[in-house]
Coordinates of all heavy atoms in Angstrom, one line a residue:
Chain A
L77 N 69.2 60.5 173.7 CA 69.5 59.6 172.6 C 68.9 58.2 172.9 O 69.0 57.7 173.9 CB 71.0 59.5 172.4 CG 71.8 60.8 172.0 CD1 73.3 60.5 172.0 CD2 71.2 61.3 170.7
L78 N 68.3 57.7 171.8 CA 67.7 56.3 171.9 C 68.8 55.2 171.9 O 68.6 54.2 172.4 CB 66.9 56.2 170.6 CG 65.7 55.2 170.7 CD1 64.8 55.4 171.9 CD2 64.8 55.4 169.4
E79 N 69.9 55.6 171.2 CA 71.1 54.7 171.2 C 72.3 55.6 170.8 O 72.1 56.6 170.2 CB 70.9 53.5 170.2 CG 70.6 53.9 168.8 CD 71.8 54.4 168.0 OE1 72.9 53.8 168.2 OE2 71.6 55.3 167.2
H80 N 73.4 55.1 171.1 CA 74.6 55.8 170.6 C 75.8 54.8 170.6 O 75.8 53.8 171.3 CB 75.0 57.0 171.5 CG 75.3 56.7 172.9 ND1 74.4 56.4 173.8 CD2 76.5 56.6 173.5 CE1 75.0 56.2 175.0 NE2 76.3 56.2 174.8
A81 N 76.8 55.1 169.8 CA 77.9 54.2 169.5 C 79.0 55.0 169.1 O 79.0 56.1 168.5 CB 77.5 53.1 168.5
V82 N 80.2 54.4 169.3 CA 81.5 54.9 168.7 C 81.8 54.1 167.5 O 81.8 52.8 167.6 CB 82.6 54.9 169.7 CG1 83.9 55.5 169.2 CG2 82.2 55.7 171.0
Y83 N 82.2 54.7 166.4 CA 82.6 53.9 165.2 C 83.7 54.6 164.5 O 83.6 55.8 164.2 CB 81.4 53.8 164.3 CG 81.6 52.9 163.0 CD1 82.1 51.6 163.2 CD2 81.5 53.4 161.8 CE1 82.3 50.8 162.1 CE2 81.7 52.6 160.7 CZ 82.2 51.3 160.8 OH 82.4 50.6 159.7
V84 N 84.8 53.9 164.3 CA 86.0 54.5 163.7 C 86.3 55.9 164.4 O 86.6 56.9 163.7 CB 85.8 54.7 162.2 CG1 87.3 54.9 161.5 CG2 85.2 53.5 161.5
G85 N 86.2 55.9 165.7 CA 86.6 57.1 166.4 C 85.6 58.2 166.5 O 85.9 59.3 167.1
N86 N 84.4 58.0 166.0 CA 83.4 59.1 166.0 C 82.1 58.6 166.7 O 81.8 57.4 166.7 CB 83.0 59.6 164.6 CG 84.2 60.2 163.9 OD1 84.7 61.2 164.4 ND2 84.5 59.7 162.8
Y87 N 81.4 59.5 167.3 CA 80.1 59.2 167.9 C 79.0 59.2 166.9 O 79.0 60.1 166.0 CB 79.8 60.3 169.0 CG 80.6 60.3 170.2 CD1 81.3 61.4 170.6 CD2 80.6 59.2 171.0 CE1 82.0 61.5 171.8 CE2 81.3 59.2 172.2 CZ 82.1 60.4 172.6 OH 82.8 60.4 173.8
Y88 N 78.0 58.4 167.1 CA 76.8 58.3 166.3 C 75.6 58.1 167.3 O 75.8 57.3 168.2 CB 76.8 57.2 165.2 CG 77.7 57.4 164.1 CD1 79.1 57.1 164.3 CD2 77.4 57.9 162.9 CE1 80.0 57.2 163.3 CE2 78.3 58.1 161.8 CZ 79.7 57.7 162.1 OH 80.5 57.9 161.1
G89 N 74.5 58.8 167.1 CA 73.4 58.6 168.0 C 72.1 58.9 167.3 O 72.0 59.6 166.3

Side-chain angles (χ1 to χ4, degrees):
Chain A
L77 298 175
L78 206 49
E79 56 78 36
H80 64 281
V82 180
Y83 183 58
V84 197
N86 295 302
Y87 289 123
Y88 294 79

